[in-house]
PDB file of all heavy atoms in Angstrom:
ATOM      1  N   GLY A   3      16.210   1.778 -12.579  1.00  0.00           N
ATOM      2  CA  GLY A   3      17.108   2.619 -13.288  1.00  0.00           C
ATOM      3  C   GLY A   3      16.807   2.776 -14.854  1.00  0.00           C
ATOM      4  O   GLY A   3      15.977   2.067 -15.350  1.00  0.00           O
ATOM      5  N   GLY A   4      17.582   3.655 -15.361  1.00  0.00           N
ATOM      6  CA  GLY A   4      17.372   3.972 -16.859  1.00  0.00           C
ATOM      7  C   GLY A   4      17.498   2.793 -17.685  1.00  0.00           C
ATOM      8  O   GLY A   4      16.772   2.646 -18.673  1.00  0.00           O
ATOM      9  N   GLY A  10      12.607  -2.325 -20.986  1.00  0.00           N
ATOM     10  CA  GLY A  10      11.214  -2.769 -20.752  1.00  0.00           C
ATOM     11  C   GLY A  10      10.115  -2.502 -21.769  1.00  0.00           C
ATOM     12  O   GLY A  10      10.568  -2.069 -22.938  1.00  0.00           O
ATOM     13  N   LEU A  11       8.996  -2.776 -21.538  1.00  0.00           N
ATOM     14  CA  LEU A  11       7.967  -2.576 -22.557  1.00  0.00           C
ATOM     15  C   LEU A  11       7.676  -1.049 -22.819  1.00  0.00           C
ATOM     16  O   LEU A  11       7.954  -0.359 -21.867  1.00  0.00           O
ATOM     17  CB  LEU A  11       6.636  -3.166 -22.027  1.00  0.00           C
ATOM     18  CG  LEU A  11       6.531  -4.786 -21.895  1.00  0.00           C
ATOM     19  CD1 LEU A  11       5.222  -5.124 -21.223  1.00  0.00           C
ATOM     20  CD2 LEU A  11       6.769  -5.432 -23.292  1.00  0.00           C
ATOM     21  N   THR A  18      -1.245  -1.390 -19.826  1.00  0.00           N
ATOM     22  CA  THR A  18      -2.286  -2.260 -20.116  1.00  0.00           C
ATOM     23  C   THR A  18      -2.091  -3.636 -19.502  1.00  0.00           C
ATOM     24  O   THR A  18      -3.039  -4.226 -18.971  1.00  0.00           O
ATOM     25  CB  THR A  18      -2.303  -2.451 -21.777  1.00  0.00           C
ATOM     26  OG1 THR A  18      -2.528  -1.122 -22.274  1.00  0.00           O
ATOM     27  CG2 THR A  18      -3.462  -3.434 -22.125  1.00  0.00           C
ATOM     28  N   TYR A  32       2.612   0.905   1.308  1.00  0.00           N
ATOM     29  CA  TYR A  32       2.876   1.686   2.683  1.00  0.00           C
ATOM     30  C   TYR A  32       3.226   3.059   2.248  1.00  0.00           C
ATOM     31  O   TYR A  32       4.114   3.314   1.461  1.00  0.00           O
ATOM     32  CB  TYR A  32       4.123   0.993   3.340  1.00  0.00           C
ATOM     33  CG  TYR A  32       4.137   1.469   4.830  1.00  0.00           C
ATOM     34  CD1 TYR A  32       3.447   0.579   5.725  1.00  0.00           C
ATOM     35  CD2 TYR A  32       4.749   2.553   5.207  1.00  0.00           C
ATOM     36  CE1 TYR A  32       3.443   0.979   7.121  1.00  0.00           C
ATOM     37  CE2 TYR A  32       4.805   2.959   6.624  1.00  0.00           C
ATOM     38  CZ  TYR A  32       4.046   2.199   7.426  1.00  0.00           C
ATOM     39  OH  TYR A  32       4.059   2.575   8.835  1.00  0.00           O
ATOM     40  N   ALA A  34       0.893   5.025   0.514  1.00  0.00           N
ATOM     41  CA  ALA A  34       0.394   4.787  -0.792  1.00  0.00           C
ATOM     42  C   ALA A  34       0.317   6.094  -1.716  1.00  0.00           C
ATOM     43  O   ALA A  34       0.253   5.844  -2.849  1.00  0.00           O
ATOM     44  CB  ALA A  34      -0.945   4.161  -0.742  1.00  0.00           C
ATOM     45  N   ASP A  37       2.687   6.094  -4.644  1.00  0.00           N
ATOM     46  CA  ASP A  37       2.351   5.178  -5.703  1.00  0.00           C
ATOM     47  C   ASP A  37       0.979   5.434  -6.410  1.00  0.00           C
ATOM     48  O   ASP A  37       1.031   5.305  -7.689  1.00  0.00           O
ATOM     49  CB  ASP A  37       2.096   3.738  -5.035  1.00  0.00           C
ATOM     50  CG  ASP A  37       3.464   3.368  -4.289  1.00  0.00           C
ATOM     51  OD1 ASP A  37       4.484   2.981  -5.024  1.00  0.00           O
ATOM     52  OD2 ASP A  37       3.501   3.315  -3.141  1.00  0.00           O
ATOM     53  N   THR A  39      -0.192   8.394  -6.932  1.00  0.00           N
ATOM     54  CA  THR A  39       0.052   9.499  -7.818  1.00  0.00           C
ATOM     55  C   THR A  39       0.731   9.095  -9.029  1.00  0.00           C
ATOM     56  O   THR A  39       0.402   9.546 -10.133  1.00  0.00           O
ATOM     57  CB  THR A  39       0.841  10.622  -7.071  1.00  0.00           C
ATOM     58  OG1 THR A  39       0.118  11.079  -5.962  1.00  0.00           O
ATOM     59  CG2 THR A  39       1.071  11.833  -7.908  1.00  0.00           C
ATOM     60  N   HIS A  46      -3.058   8.263 -16.891  1.00  0.00           N
ATOM     61  CA  HIS A  46      -3.768   9.355 -17.651  1.00  0.00           C
ATOM     62  C   HIS A  46      -2.923   9.798 -18.819  1.00  0.00           C
ATOM     63  O   HIS A  46      -3.393  10.006 -19.834  1.00  0.00           O
ATOM     64  CB  HIS A  46      -3.986  10.496 -16.598  1.00  0.00           C
ATOM     65  CG  HIS A  46      -4.717  11.604 -17.266  1.00  0.00           C
ATOM     66  ND1 HIS A  46      -4.073  12.825 -17.651  1.00  0.00           N
ATOM     67  CD2 HIS A  46      -6.059  11.809 -17.421  1.00  0.00           C
ATOM     68  CE1 HIS A  46      -4.955  13.603 -18.207  1.00  0.00           C
ATOM     69  NE2 HIS A  46      -6.123  12.986 -18.117  1.00  0.00           N
ATOM     70  N   HIS A  55      -9.033   3.214  -8.645  1.00  0.00           N
ATOM     71  CA  HIS A  55      -8.959   1.869  -8.049  1.00  0.00           C
ATOM     72  C   HIS A  55      -8.788   1.995  -6.552  1.00  0.00           C
ATOM     73  O   HIS A  55      -8.274   2.852  -5.946  1.00  0.00           O
ATOM     74  CB  HIS A  55      -7.717   1.196  -8.639  1.00  0.00           C
ATOM     75  CG  HIS A  55      -7.777  -0.272  -8.875  1.00  0.00           C
ATOM     76  ND1 HIS A  55      -8.491  -0.804  -9.944  1.00  0.00           N
ATOM     77  CD2 HIS A  55      -7.306  -1.320  -8.153  1.00  0.00           C
ATOM     78  CE1 HIS A  55      -8.475  -2.087  -9.763  1.00  0.00           C
ATOM     79  NE2 HIS A  55      -7.768  -2.422  -8.625  1.00  0.00           N
ATOM     80  N   PRO A  65      -1.538   0.790  12.418  1.00  0.00           N
ATOM     81  CA  PRO A  65      -1.628   1.352  13.798  1.00  0.00           C
ATOM     82  C   PRO A  65      -3.044   1.076  14.390  1.00  0.00           C
ATOM     83  O   PRO A  65      -3.162   0.996  15.673  1.00  0.00           O
ATOM     84  CB  PRO A  65      -1.396   2.890  13.663  1.00  0.00           C
ATOM     85  CG  PRO A  65      -0.554   2.974  12.396  1.00  0.00           C
ATOM     86  CD  PRO A  65      -1.059   1.822  11.517  1.00  0.00           C
ATOM     87  N   TYR A  68      -2.869  -2.753  15.449  1.00  0.00           N
ATOM     88  CA  TYR A  68      -1.864  -3.073  16.503  1.00  0.00           C
ATOM     89  C   TYR A  68      -1.688  -1.890  17.459  1.00  0.00           C
ATOM     90  O   TYR A  68      -0.633  -1.430  17.699  1.00  0.00           O
ATOM     91  CB  TYR A  68      -0.553  -3.617  15.970  1.00  0.00           C
ATOM     92  CG  TYR A  68      -0.639  -4.876  15.214  1.00  0.00           C
ATOM     93  CD1 TYR A  68      -0.936  -4.984  14.013  1.00  0.00           C
ATOM     94  CD2 TYR A  68      -0.448  -6.014  16.107  1.00  0.00           C
ATOM     95  CE1 TYR A  68      -0.922  -6.286  13.409  1.00  0.00           C
ATOM     96  CE2 TYR A  68      -0.541  -7.261  15.622  1.00  0.00           C
ATOM     97  CZ  TYR A  68      -0.764  -7.395  14.241  1.00  0.00           C
ATOM     98  OH  TYR A  68      -0.851  -8.770  13.745  1.00  0.00           O
ATOM     99  N   ASP A  80       9.821   0.255  11.001  1.00  0.00           N
ATOM    100  CA  ASP A  80       9.500   0.003  12.384  1.00  0.00           C
ATOM    101  C   ASP A  80       8.525  -1.167  12.523  1.00  0.00           C
ATOM    102  O   ASP A  80       8.663  -2.057  13.267  1.00  0.00           O
ATOM    103  CB  ASP A  80       8.659   1.248  13.154  1.00  0.00           C
ATOM    104  CG  ASP A  80       9.703   2.410  13.175  1.00  0.00           C
ATOM    105  OD1 ASP A  80      10.912   2.281  13.530  1.00  0.00           O
ATOM    106  OD2 ASP A  80       9.102   3.522  13.046  1.00  0.00           O
ATOM    107  N   PHE A  85       7.832  -7.135  13.455  1.00  0.00           N
ATOM    108  CA  PHE A  85       7.411  -8.469  13.127  1.00  0.00           C
ATOM    109  C   PHE A  85       8.569  -9.352  12.471  1.00  0.00           C
ATOM    110  O   PHE A  85       8.198 -10.497  12.000  1.00  0.00           O
ATOM    111  CB  PHE A  85       6.231  -8.465  12.202  1.00  0.00           C
ATOM    112  CG  PHE A  85       5.004  -7.819  12.729  1.00  0.00           C
ATOM    113  CD1 PHE A  85       4.591  -6.583  12.471  1.00  0.00           C
ATOM    114  CD2 PHE A  85       4.297  -8.463  13.732  1.00  0.00           C
ATOM    115  CE1 PHE A  85       3.466  -5.950  12.956  1.00  0.00           C
ATOM    116  CE2 PHE A  85       3.311  -7.944  14.442  1.00  0.00           C
ATOM    117  CZ  PHE A  85       2.876  -6.685  14.100  1.00  0.00           C
ATOM    118  N   ASN A  89      13.889  -6.981   4.980  1.00  0.00           N
ATOM    119  CA  ASN A  89      13.834  -6.375   3.789  1.00  0.00           C
ATOM    120  C   ASN A  89      15.286  -6.307   3.181  1.00  0.00           C
ATOM    121  O   ASN A  89      16.164  -5.612   3.702  1.00  0.00           O
ATOM    122  CB  ASN A  89      13.368  -4.887   3.894  1.00  0.00           C
ATOM    123  CG  ASN A  89      13.068  -4.153   2.605  1.00  0.00           C
ATOM    124  OD1 ASN A  89      13.742  -4.537   1.558  1.00  0.00           O
ATOM    125  ND2 ASN A  89      12.234  -3.243   2.588  1.00  0.00           N
ATOM    126  N   ARG A  92      16.471  -2.138   1.071  1.00  0.00           N
ATOM    127  CA  ARG A  92      15.565  -1.105   1.273  1.00  0.00           C
ATOM    128  C   ARG A  92      15.606  -0.177   0.183  1.00  0.00           C
ATOM    129  O   ARG A  92      16.711   0.185  -0.415  1.00  0.00           O
ATOM    130  CB  ARG A  92      15.918  -0.447   2.612  1.00  0.00           C
ATOM    131  CG  ARG A  92      14.836   0.506   3.072  1.00  0.00           C
ATOM    132  CD  ARG A  92      13.549  -0.216   3.466  1.00  0.00           C
ATOM    133  NE  ARG A  92      12.627   0.720   4.181  1.00  0.00           N
ATOM    134  CZ  ARG A  92      11.692   1.369   3.565  1.00  0.00           C
ATOM    135  NH1 ARG A  92      11.466   1.143   2.281  1.00  0.00           N
ATOM    136  NH2 ARG A  92      10.884   2.224   4.203  1.00  0.00           N
ATOM    137  N   TYR A 100       7.982  -6.873  -1.770  1.00  0.00           N
ATOM    138  CA  TYR A 100       8.028  -8.139  -0.973  1.00  0.00           C
ATOM    139  C   TYR A 100       7.849  -8.008   0.491  1.00  0.00           C
ATOM    140  O   TYR A 100       7.036  -8.745   1.106  1.00  0.00           O
ATOM    141  CB  TYR A 100       9.332  -8.933  -1.358  1.00  0.00           C
ATOM    142  CG  TYR A 100       9.376 -10.333  -0.850  1.00  0.00           C
ATOM    143  CD1 TYR A 100       8.431 -11.253  -1.309  1.00  0.00           C
ATOM    144  CD2 TYR A 100      10.271 -10.645   0.054  1.00  0.00           C
ATOM    145  CE1 TYR A 100       8.548 -12.548  -0.793  1.00  0.00           C
ATOM    146  CE2 TYR A 100      10.369 -12.058   0.582  1.00  0.00           C
ATOM    147  CZ  TYR A 100       9.450 -13.010   0.106  1.00  0.00           C
ATOM    148  OH  TYR A 100       9.526 -14.264   0.622  1.00  0.00           O
ATOM    149  N   ALA A 103       4.370  -7.013   1.134  1.00  0.00           N
ATOM    150  CA  ALA A 103       3.386  -8.184   0.976  1.00  0.00           C
ATOM    151  C   ALA A 103       3.371  -9.021   2.284  1.00  0.00           C
ATOM    152  O   ALA A 103       2.380  -9.492   2.762  1.00  0.00           O
ATOM    153  CB  ALA A 103       3.790  -8.992  -0.101  1.00  0.00           C
ATOM    154  N   LEU A 106       1.421  -7.223   4.790  1.00  0.00           N
ATOM    155  CA  LEU A 106      -0.022  -7.433   4.496  1.00  0.00           C
ATOM    156  C   LEU A 106      -0.518  -8.784   5.103  1.00  0.00           C
ATOM    157  O   LEU A 106      -1.597  -8.880   5.639  1.00  0.00           O
ATOM    158  CB  LEU A 106      -0.217  -7.305   3.063  1.00  0.00           C
ATOM    159  CG  LEU A 106      -1.655  -7.620   2.589  1.00  0.00           C
ATOM    160  CD1 LEU A 106      -2.613  -6.645   3.151  1.00  0.00           C
ATOM    161  CD2 LEU A 106      -1.806  -7.679   1.032  1.00  0.00           C
ATOM    162  N   ALA A 114      -8.653 -10.272  10.690  1.00  0.00           N
ATOM    163  CA  ALA A 114      -9.543 -11.398  10.820  1.00  0.00           C
ATOM    164  C   ALA A 114      -9.889 -11.719  12.319  1.00  0.00           C
ATOM    165  O   ALA A 114     -11.127 -11.909  12.529  1.00  0.00           O
ATOM    166  CB  ALA A 114      -9.093 -12.715  10.114  1.00  0.00           C
ATOM    167  N   LEU A 116      -9.955  -9.548  14.512  1.00  0.00           N
ATOM    168  CA  LEU A 116     -10.665  -8.325  15.012  1.00  0.00           C
ATOM    169  C   LEU A 116     -11.962  -8.058  14.472  1.00  0.00           C
ATOM    170  O   LEU A 116     -12.636  -7.109  14.669  1.00  0.00           O
ATOM    171  CB  LEU A 116      -9.750  -7.068  15.015  1.00  0.00           C
ATOM    172  CG  LEU A 116      -8.454  -7.092  15.749  1.00  0.00           C
ATOM    173  CD1 LEU A 116      -7.588  -5.869  15.328  1.00  0.00           C
ATOM    174  CD2 LEU A 116      -8.793  -7.225  17.207  1.00  0.00           C
ATOM    175  N   GLN A 122     -12.153  -5.023   1.796  1.00  0.00           N
ATOM    176  CA  GLN A 122     -13.020  -3.912   1.923  1.00  0.00           C
ATOM    177  C   GLN A 122     -13.039  -3.458   3.349  1.00  0.00           C
ATOM    178  O   GLN A 122     -13.091  -2.240   3.591  1.00  0.00           O
ATOM    179  CB  GLN A 122     -14.419  -4.092   1.392  1.00  0.00           C
ATOM    180  CG  GLN A 122     -15.295  -2.939   1.393  1.00  0.00           C
ATOM    181  CD  GLN A 122     -14.826  -1.760   0.520  1.00  0.00           C
ATOM    182  OE1 GLN A 122     -14.404  -1.930  -0.561  1.00  0.00           O
ATOM    183  NE2 GLN A 122     -14.912  -0.603   1.121  1.00  0.00           N
ATOM    184  N   ILE A 125     -10.018  -1.187   4.040  1.00  0.00           N
ATOM    185  CA  ILE A 125     -10.176   0.010   3.344  1.00  0.00           C
ATOM    186  C   ILE A 125     -11.059   0.880   4.415  1.00  0.00           C
ATOM    187  O   ILE A 125     -10.710   2.108   4.454  1.00  0.00           O
ATOM    188  CB  ILE A 125     -10.877  -0.105   1.987  1.00  0.00           C
ATOM    189  CG1 ILE A 125      -9.845  -0.723   0.971  1.00  0.00           C
ATOM    190  CG2 ILE A 125     -11.304   1.253   1.445  1.00  0.00           C
ATOM    191  CD1 ILE A 125     -10.550  -1.181  -0.351  1.00  0.00           C
ATOM    192  N   GLU A 128      -8.998   2.016   7.264  1.00  0.00           N
ATOM    193  CA  GLU A 128      -8.084   3.044   6.759  1.00  0.00           C
ATOM    194  C   GLU A 128      -8.932   4.377   6.847  1.00  0.00           C
ATOM    195  O   GLU A 128      -8.465   5.460   7.345  1.00  0.00           O
ATOM    196  CB  GLU A 128      -7.428   2.857   5.550  1.00  0.00           C
ATOM    197  CG  GLU A 128      -6.578   4.043   4.986  1.00  0.00           C
ATOM    198  CD  GLU A 128      -6.165   3.811   3.543  1.00  0.00           C
ATOM    199  OE1 GLU A 128      -6.111   2.607   3.112  1.00  0.00           O
ATOM    200  OE2 GLU A 128      -5.668   4.821   3.022  1.00  0.00           O
ATOM    201  N   LYS A 129     -10.073   4.387   6.207  1.00  0.00           N
ATOM    202  CA  LYS A 129     -10.921   5.609   6.067  1.00  0.00           C
ATOM    203  C   LYS A 129     -11.257   6.216   7.438  1.00  0.00           C
ATOM    204  O   LYS A 129     -11.214   7.327   7.671  1.00  0.00           O
ATOM    205  CB  LYS A 129     -12.207   5.305   5.174  1.00  0.00           C
ATOM    206  CG  LYS A 129     -11.986   5.237   3.781  1.00  0.00           C
ATOM    207  CD  LYS A 129     -13.353   4.922   3.130  1.00  0.00           C
ATOM    208  CE  LYS A 129     -13.153   4.734   1.698  1.00  0.00           C
ATOM    209  NZ  LYS A 129     -14.350   4.267   0.970  1.00  0.00           N
ATOM    210  N   ARG A 131      -9.686   5.615  10.387  1.00  0.00           N
ATOM    211  CA  ARG A 131      -8.449   6.220  11.076  1.00  0.00           C
ATOM    212  C   ARG A 131      -8.156   7.479  10.475  1.00  0.00           C
ATOM    213  O   ARG A 131      -7.741   8.503  11.185  1.00  0.00           O
ATOM    214  CB  ARG A 131      -7.253   5.220  10.870  1.00  0.00           C
ATOM    215  CG  ARG A 131      -6.164   5.679  11.740  1.00  0.00           C
ATOM    216  CD  ARG A 131      -5.149   4.620  11.983  1.00  0.00           C
ATOM    217  NE  ARG A 131      -4.070   5.096  12.747  1.00  0.00           N
ATOM    218  CZ  ARG A 131      -3.924   5.111  14.048  1.00  0.00           C
ATOM    219  NH1 ARG A 131      -4.958   4.645  14.796  1.00  0.00           N
ATOM    220  NH2 ARG A 131      -2.900   5.616  14.639  1.00  0.00           N
ATOM    221  N   LEU A 134     -10.698  10.041  11.773  1.00  0.00           N
ATOM    222  CA  LEU A 134     -10.423  10.339  13.239  1.00  0.00           C
ATOM    223  C   LEU A 134      -9.262  11.161  13.477  1.00  0.00           C
ATOM    224  O   LEU A 134      -9.181  12.098  14.298  1.00  0.00           O
ATOM    225  CB  LEU A 134     -10.193   9.069  14.043  1.00  0.00           C
ATOM    226  CG  LEU A 134     -11.564   8.219  14.230  1.00  0.00           C
ATOM    227  CD1 LEU A 134     -11.200   6.818  14.818  1.00  0.00           C
ATOM    228  CD2 LEU A 134     -12.525   9.060  15.035  1.00  0.00           C
TER     229      LEU A 134
END
Side-chain angles (χ1 to χ4, degrees):
L11 295 173
T18 301
Y32 197 91
D37 301 289
T39 301
H46 185 257
H55 211 75
Y68 286 95
D80 294 325
F85 294 109
N89 190 335
R92 191 71 170 94
Y100 185 65
L106 175 63
L116 297 175
Q122 184 59 43
I125 292 168
E128 177 185 341
K129 286 180 185 176
R131 186 162 179 91
L134 289 173

